[in-house]
Amino acid sequence: MRIGILGYGNLGRGVECAIKQNPDMELAAVFTRRAPEKVSILTKNAEVCSVNDIEQWKDKIDVLILCGGSATDLPEQTPKYAELFNVIDSFDTHARIPEHFDDVDAAAKKSGHIGIISVGWDPGMFSLNRMYANAILPEGKDYTFWGKGVSQGHSDAIRRVEGVKDGKQYTIPVESALEAVRNGENPELTTRQKHTRECFVVLEEGADAAKVEETIKTMPNYFADYDTTVHFISEEELQKNHSGIPHGGFVIRSGKTGWDLEHNHVIEYSLKLDSNPEFTSCVIVAYARAAYRLYQEGQRGCKTVFDIAPAYLSAKDGAELRRTLL
Ligand code: NDP
């Protein structure tokens, strides 16, 4: 499978690393909106090209992996490039997935390609686990907890506060809430009861720490509904201890079975990720294999993780899967 990467940020680099672990794939080219000579990649025999030249690669790439941002890049790029390639993205604005699906579906059907959207861990592996658990235990309750991990959006929000030079925000699940869910207590949990937020902030010189802390803690939508802790640290400390992009979380469904619902069951799926983009990239690359196979079979249009049978993700064939993993 010849893979193209469009957009070379955290995810783009993660996809490049993931391709290295999958011998049935090779990286053909990385496309960027920046000047190609300013973007240096890790793979020796792959090209870095301007996105303006992408059309020349129409017959040289089996699946194009879109690694741009969900806010503004992917809503435009995924439908656009579905006109030329089989595409896959990690679009994670949950509320806008239905319209994104429609846009990619129309483009992919018109051009005769496959598009797979919203692949990663959430949306992605978490969505799959929510769906499996719902189908298996119709009588029950769903819970998703995120963290401990870095929230890019909340870190950006901190950095926009006056007096803040730099900052990182961690989302942390509340342990007692997790325990109650795992015990099958089916608690009703408010936003505040599910997660706390911890901020590490580097102040501008002369900034008023108390004012910065107050502004962060009362920020609507981002922090006001949570118990938030703010730590002031040096720039060196932020670099040394908070430069990673870890994340993870838990998808739990607790349900009841039996004639009088007398038995409890708890299904739990959890992730603890050292690198959010590298893990997300590994999921995307497995689904790129599925995109290629679906295309070969003659399928067209947009798909999500719900539509794709698990065997399509694996490099192993059906006989080997049945022998080793079933
Ligand atoms: P980045 O900000 O690192 O990269 C986004 C784009 O920015 C790149 O593709 C790149 O495009 C452009 N860019 C511009 N200047 C630079 C620069 N100097 N260095 C690096 N990139 C630059 O975002 P991420 O890769 O971390 O994340 C991309 C998206 O992945 C997120 O918006 C998120 O929605 C999604 N995601 C989804 C997950 C899921 O579970 N579904 C999980 C994690 C992320 P170009 O090369 O064209 O300039």
Side-chain angles (χ1 to χ4, degrees):
M1 255 165 288
R2 296 160 303 174
I3 306 288
I5 293 174
L6 171 53
Y8 196 70
N10 296 314
L11 211 59
R13 196 171 307 107
V15 168
E16 184 180 20
C17 297
I19 290 170
K20 190 181 173 204
Q21 298 180 357
N22 287 277
D24 57 341
M25 300 187 188
E26 64 174 36
L27 178 64
V30 169
F31 301 94
T32 178
R33 291 162 294 181
R34 285 167 283 161
E37 61 276 12
K38 295 220 170 106
V39 175
S40 78
I41 64 169
L42 306 165
T43 311
K44 292 216 164 51
N45 49 357
E47 287 185 48
V48 181
C49 305
S50 164
V51 71
N52 301 325
D53 300 328
I54 202 166
E55 203 165 343
Q56 298 165 18
W57 289 79
K58 207 174 155 351
D59 303 316
K60 294 185 227 158
I61 283 173
D62 295 307
V63 182
L64 180 70
I65 301 183
L66 294 150
C67 297
S70 288
T72 53
D73 295 340
L74 299 176
E76 186 211 315
Q77 289 177 335
T78 314
K80 179 171 174 186
Y81 294 108
E83 289 174 13
L84 298 170
F85 302 97
N86 295 313
V87 291
I88 177 161
D89 77 18
S90 68
F91 185 70
D92 70 354
T93 314
H94 289 258
R96 294 187 59 198
I97 288 175
E99 60 184 282
H100 188 55
F101 181 93
D102 291 342
D103 292 346
V104 176
D105 194 46
K109 281 193 175 134
K110 192 164 160 233
S111 67
H113 288 106
I114 282 281
I116 309 181
I117 61 157
S118 302
V119 179
W121 62 280
D122 198 359
M125 297 311 295
F126 272 18
S127 327
L128 266 186
N129 281 279
R130 283 188 285 261
M131 203 222 68
Y132 279 133
N134 267 267
I136 294 164
L137 295 175
E139 197 68 50
K141 216 163 158 20
D142 291 309
Y143 297 88
T144 301
F145 292 87
W146 294 275
K148 181 182 179 175
V150 172
S151 161
Q152 219 59 52
H154 288 78
S155 300
D156 289 344
I158 296 176
R159 290 194 284 266
R160 285 196 297 268
V161 171
E162 198 186 322
V164 171
K165 190 169 185 192
D166 206 350
K168 257 292 165 64
Q169 193 270 183
Y170 295 90
T171 307
I172 306 166
V174 174
E175 204 53 47
S176 57
L178 258 175
E179 275 318 299
V181 171
R182 284 180 177 139
N183 291 339
E185 294 168 28
N186 285 348
E188 290 292 340
L189 298 166
T190 62
T191 303
R192 192 177 296 276
Q193 287 168 329
K194 284 181 74 184
H195 297 95
T196 56
R197 299 200 177 275
E198 190 173 25
C199 310
F200 291 87
V201 175
V202 180
L203 288 172
E204 302 265 22
E205 219 170 281
D208 180 346
K211 194 171 160 214
V212 166
E213 182 168 347
E214 179 67 11
T215 309
I216 293 174
K217 286 184 167 176
T218 56
M219 198 186 293
N221 302 323
Y222 285 89
F223 295 101
D225 297 335
Y226 298 86
D227 290 333
T228 302
T229 324
V230 179
H231 307 280
F232 294 104
I233 58 171
S234 67
E235 206 163 3
E236 295 71 42
E237 205 180 330
L238 189 79
Q239 277 298 326
K240 186 164 158 256
N241 299 328
H242 303 284
S243 57
I245 322 176
H247 220 317
F250 309 83
V251 168
I252 305 174
R253 182 166 176 88
S254 68
K256 292 183 183 299
T257 62
W259 195 252
D260 296 312
L261 302 180
E262 62 273 32
H263 295 121
N264 286 317
H265 308 271
V266 178
I267 302 175
E268 176 167 347
Y269 177 77
S270 80
L271 292 172
K272 191 168 179 296
L273 313 174
D274 251 6
S275 163
N276 176 358
E278 285 179 14
F279 180 81
T280 303
S281 301
C282 289
V283 182
I284 294 176
V285 161
Y287 274 91
R289 179 178 291 119
Y292 178 70
R293 289 175 174 169
L294 292 172
Y295 180 74
Q296 301 268 311
E297 284 180 6
Q299 296 209 42
R300 301 293 182 257
C302 190
K303 312 275 175 202
T304 73
V305 293
F306 295 149
D307 306 308
I308 295 163
Y312 283 77
L313 308 181
S314 178
K316 297 176 178 166
D317 66 25
E320 194 180 355
L321 285 176
R322 286 188 289 278
R323 197 162 39 77
T324 59
L325 295 179
L326 196 61

